[in-house]
Amino acid sequence: MPEIRNLRLIMVVLAFSCGATVANLYYAQPLLAEIATAFGVSQGSAALVVTLTQLGYAAGLALLMPLGDLVENRALASRTLVFTALALVVAAVAPVFGVFLAASVLIGVTSVVAQILIPFAAHLAPEEQRGRFVGTVMTGLLLGILLARTLSSLVAGAFGWRTIYFVSAVLMLVVAVAARRMLPHRRPTHDEGYARLMRSILTLAREEPALRRRAVCQALMFGAFSAFWTSVAFELVGRHGLTQTEVGVFALVGAAGAAAAPLAGRLGDRGHGGIGSGIALALAAVAMVVAWLGAGSVVALALAGVVLDLAVQGHQVLSQREIYGLRADARARINTVFMTTIFVGGAVASAVAGSFYDAFGWAGPTLFGAALPLIGLAIWATATTRQATKEKLGGHPVA
């Protein structure tokens, strides 16, 4: 294990790499109105860009991310990033909507590098500081998610919406070189082949109830997140008359959510992950209700966005701290179950939110988004009650 000083530098590199890579999934969200106009499709059809990118990401999580337990991690990450750059170039020059959608799927599949690197961070971190270091890397990833919308809006306002795809393609090549040169060599111990590796994922999902619970609850949270951010650009442009640049400035409010990552990591390290998760689920539901009731105020929408992002990102860090402690030799596969579930949930929620916005206006996606974390809260309450009952009967508490 690298010494602490070098480990901190490595975590910074991992954080930047995760943020730059995962941003590819979100560049399109504030550009949907321009994309719809450019290709002559409806707003609901344009929302398919977000849905298919997330489905591509889910496919990458299911098929590529388990390789983190089989293939040398540094080489896997750097080589995959080269394919990400190629997919971004195709998106930038796509002549028709179908080609753009296909490129979006490939962008999603290859951007899974971000989730290969997070278990890498967990492997490198001392056990007693795992929450802290994973939180640091997650801060970079979350900033990538949250600032992507602002960056793409500002670049689109200045140079056109296609430009961000060229810019990101260059950045992916830079990140590939940085990862190759600065990250330590890590070859996993699993040596039984890809087929057995994939079968073991189903075994993990079946044998680890905490993993299933955390995955479903975070999928519901990410569904609320996707419902809000997929639809809010339409609302800001249509109801409030914001320009593309102003939409980008609005998206900066989401950056506040990154503050939740290190705080949640420390909260989990101190044994308060359970109560923190319940609070996060409740806050997400409240945020979506505020977004519905405050639709006429940009300030209210911004407040809702801040609270929602804090809740979603804090819940994810608490979830990852718990699941990475389940089996140290299977963290990539554990992350596969967790993140695939999340992004399938996010993709479905994006599609539903786009349809609901077309049919019911802003009330559709916001009320739908509020219902999702409430379902998660019910799951959390049930698990907490069962755990308390086991403890009273002499059982052992769940981590």
Side-chain angles (χ1 to χ4, degrees):
M1 181 179 296
E3 63 180 42
I4 293 296
R5 181 181 301 177
N6 290 337
L7 184 57
R8 288 172 180 160
L9 176 60
I10 290 169
M11 293 298 167
V12 170
V13 174
L14 287 171
F16 177 81
S17 300
C18 286
T21 305
V22 80
N24 292 319
L25 306 179
Y26 301 94
Y27 287 138
Q29 282 187 344
L31 307 180
L32 294 180
E34 291 197 12
I35 291 172
T37 300
F39 290 112
V41 298
S42 69
Q43 292 180 338
S45 296
L48 285 174
V49 174
V50 178
T51 298
L52 291 179
T53 303
Q54 290 178 346
L55 285 175
Y57 195 65
L61 291 169
L63 300 175
L64 296 183
M65 192 168 67
L67 291 172
D69 285 338
L70 183 65
V71 177
E72 199 281 310
N73 287 186
R74 183 178 59 187
L76 175 62
S78 58
R79 291 169 185 171
T80 304
L81 285 167
V82 174
F83 288 98
T84 310
L86 293 174
L88 286 161
V89 171
V90 172
V93 300
V96 295
F97 191 52
V99 173
F100 186 76
L101 289 178
S104 297
V105 173
L106 293 176
I107 290 169
V109 170
T110 56
S111 292
V112 74
V113 167
Q115 295 300 332
I116 292 172
L117 296 178
I118 294 174
F120 195 175
H123 277 289
L124 295 175
E127 183 176 355
E128 68 278 5
Q129 299 182 60
R130 184 180 300 132
R132 174 187 172 189
F133 281 113
V134 170
T136 297
V137 175
M138 282 297 296
T139 299
L141 182 140
L142 300 176
L143 284 173
I145 293 173
L146 300 170
L147 296 178
R149 296 183 290 265
T150 298
L151 179 60
S152 64
S153 291
L154 295 176
V155 170
F159 306 106
W161 67 268
R162 292 179 184 267
T163 308
I164 189 63
Y165 291 94
F166 284 118
V167 171
S168 186
V170 174
L171 185 58
M172 290 304 95
L173 295 177
V174 171
V175 170
V177 172
R180 184 71 181 180
R181 292 187 176 182
M182 299 187 67
L183 298 183
H185 181 277
R186 178 187 174 267
R187 179 167 292 280
T189 57
H190 186 95
D191 59 359
E192 296 181 349
Y194 183 72
R196 290 179 66 90
L197 184 78
M198 295 300 291
R199 286 196 294 271
S200 70
I201 294 173
L202 298 177
T203 302
L204 282 170
R206 184 175 63 252
E207 294 179 352
E208 298 291 349
L211 174 58
R212 296 195 302 272
R213 169 175 51 84
R214 284 294 192 175
V216 170
C217 285
Q218 188 60 29
L220 292 165
M221 290 285 272
F222 190 62
F225 177 93
S226 297
F228 180 86
W229 287 107
T230 298
S231 307
V232 75
F234 297 139
E235 190 72 5
L236 292 171
V237 173
R239 179 187 293 230
H240 298 284
L242 270 61
T243 65
Q244 192 63 61
T245 300
E246 289 168 339
V247 171
V249 173
F250 176 90
L252 281 173
V253 304
L263 293 176
R266 287 175 171 81
L267 189 69
D269 286 341
R270 294 173 183 173
H272 304 303
I275 188 64
S277 298
I279 292 171
L281 288 159
L283 283 176
V286 170
M288 294 303 289
V289 172
V290 170
W292 170 50
L293 296 176
S297 167
V298 173
V299 173
L301 291 174
L303 177 62
V306 169
V307 174
L308 177 64
D309 287 0
L310 284 168
V312 173
Q313 312 311 343
H315 188 274
Q316 179 159 332
V317 171
L318 291 171
S319 297
Q320 288 179 306
R321 191 202 180 280
E322 179 176 345
I323 64 174
Y324 290 158
L326 296 174
R327 299 192 188 184
D329 63 336
R331 285 184 179 132
R333 283 165 287 168
I334 284 172
N335 210 33
T336 295
V337 175
F338 182 68
M339 294 305 303
T340 301
T341 305
I342 289 172
F343 273 85
V344 168
V348 172
S350 293
V352 172
S355 298
F356 277 14
Y357 190 88
D358 282 345
F360 307 109
W362 181 237
T366 50
L367 293 179
F368 167 67
L372 299 179
L374 287 177
I375 296 171
L377 189 61
I379 294 171
W380 170 86
T382 301
T384 301
T385 301
R386 287 178 178 172
Q387 177 175 310
T389 302
K390 286 182 180 179
E391 291 178 12
K392 287 180 181 179
L393 296 174
H396 298 288
V398 180

